[in-house]
Amino acid sequence: MAVTQKLLTALDVMRDAPVIPVIVLHELRHAVPLARALVAGGIRMLEVTLRTPKALDCMRAIAAEVPEAVVGAGTVRSSADAEAAARAGARFAVSPGFTPALGRACRDAGLPLLPGVATGGEIMAAQEEGFGALKFFPAQQAGGVAMLKAWQGPFGDVVFCPTGGIQPANAVDFLALPNVACVGGSWLAPVDALEQCDWPRITALARATAALAPQSQKL
Ligand code: 3PG
């Protein structure tokens, strides 16, 4: 069933599934079958990173042809990125860092934003601008599970999507934390599976994530 066209919040995006796939697409022909394969495995929120010349075309194709998916833009770093992503059909944005200008640009473009943070000061800056559902990036490299546990005291009102260095084996440790709504990761769209157009493998990877239900959704 198509996800309704209601305006999503960042929390809606985070709570739809245990994992948001971080997708890098070099070829337009891969976009629609990849999106269908992920949706078939139960993953609807798809972060297509703005790292390739084809990224916007891929978003446009997924938005037009896979109504069951919700395509978002990743690696959004500027106001121009946010505007281009919204025009291409993105319905949410994910950024590797945070600036107030980017926050405003995403609001103006109608895109819920998961802003990237890695320090307490960055969390406070994002909160000052009204953002409370944040991406912890790069999660594993910047302190991992221990850092998220340390933030539970001072930032108990913040919900995180840790991303960076997360695999199925350590995803469970992140998802067991009460301040984690989901994790992000590139393992759901491996380069070799894309090159081989191995869509059943991607569906199987997506399906396996259903078992990784976050603790915060079990409460
Ligand atoms: C990224 O921006 O590439 C994400 O953090 C994905 O990282 P991963 O490849 O370690 O999952």
Side-chain angles (χ1 to χ4, degrees):
M1 198 187 355
V3 182
T4 72
Q5 289 297 316
K6 81 166 173 107
L7 263 188
L8 297 168
T9 66
L11 264 183
D12 292 332
V13 174
M14 282 192 192
R15 289 192 168 147
D16 203 61
V19 183
I20 298 176
V22 177
I23 298 166
V24 180
L25 283 165
H26 293 278
E27 296 197 44
L28 179 55
R29 70 191 172 95
H30 291 158
V32 166
L34 171 68
R36 289 191 177 132
L38 288 166
V39 166
I43 304 288
R44 304 187 297 176
M45 302 289 160
L46 312 182
E47 177 190 338
V48 176
T49 57
L50 295 177
R51 296 183 199 174
T52 69
K54 297 282 188 219
L56 289 168
D57 285 342
C58 289
M59 271 177 227
R60 226 171 262 122
I62 294 169
E65 296 182 46
V66 193
E68 304 86 353
V70 175
V71 69
T75 324
V76 174
R77 295 183 300 170
S78 66
S79 303
D81 285 345
E83 288 156 16
R87 279 198 302 273
R91 292 180 55 200
F92 65 93
V94 185
S95 59
F98 177 73
T99 67
L102 181 63
R104 283 192 294 275
C106 287
R107 282 215 173 97
D108 290 348
L111 293 176
L113 172 66
L114 281 62
V117 296
T119 68
E122 291 165 11
I123 294 170
M124 288 158 65
Q127 285 191 298
E128 269 179 16
E129 298 293 324
F131 294 90
L134 310 178
K135 167 179 165 170
F136 174 29
F137 176 78
Q140 190 65 354
Q141 298 86 339
V145 164
M147 185 71 123
L148 285 158
K149 283 185 178 166
W151 282 340
Q152 281 167 9
F155 301 115
D157 53 345
V158 178
V159 181
F160 294 96
C161 169
T163 305
I166 299 180
Q167 297 287 330
N170 63 355
V172 289
D173 299 331
F174 285 93
L175 290 165
L177 301 173
N179 56 345
V180 168
C182 68
V183 299
S186 60
W187 85 83
L188 287 177
V191 174
D192 59 335
L194 284 171
E195 281 169 358
Q196 293 156 16
C197 297
D198 190 348
W199 313 124
R201 179 176 158 206
I202 287 175
T203 297
L205 286 168
R207 204 164 271 145
T209 68
L212 305 172
Q215 182 64 30
S216 59
Q217 288 180 21
K218 290 183 201 141
L219 298 176

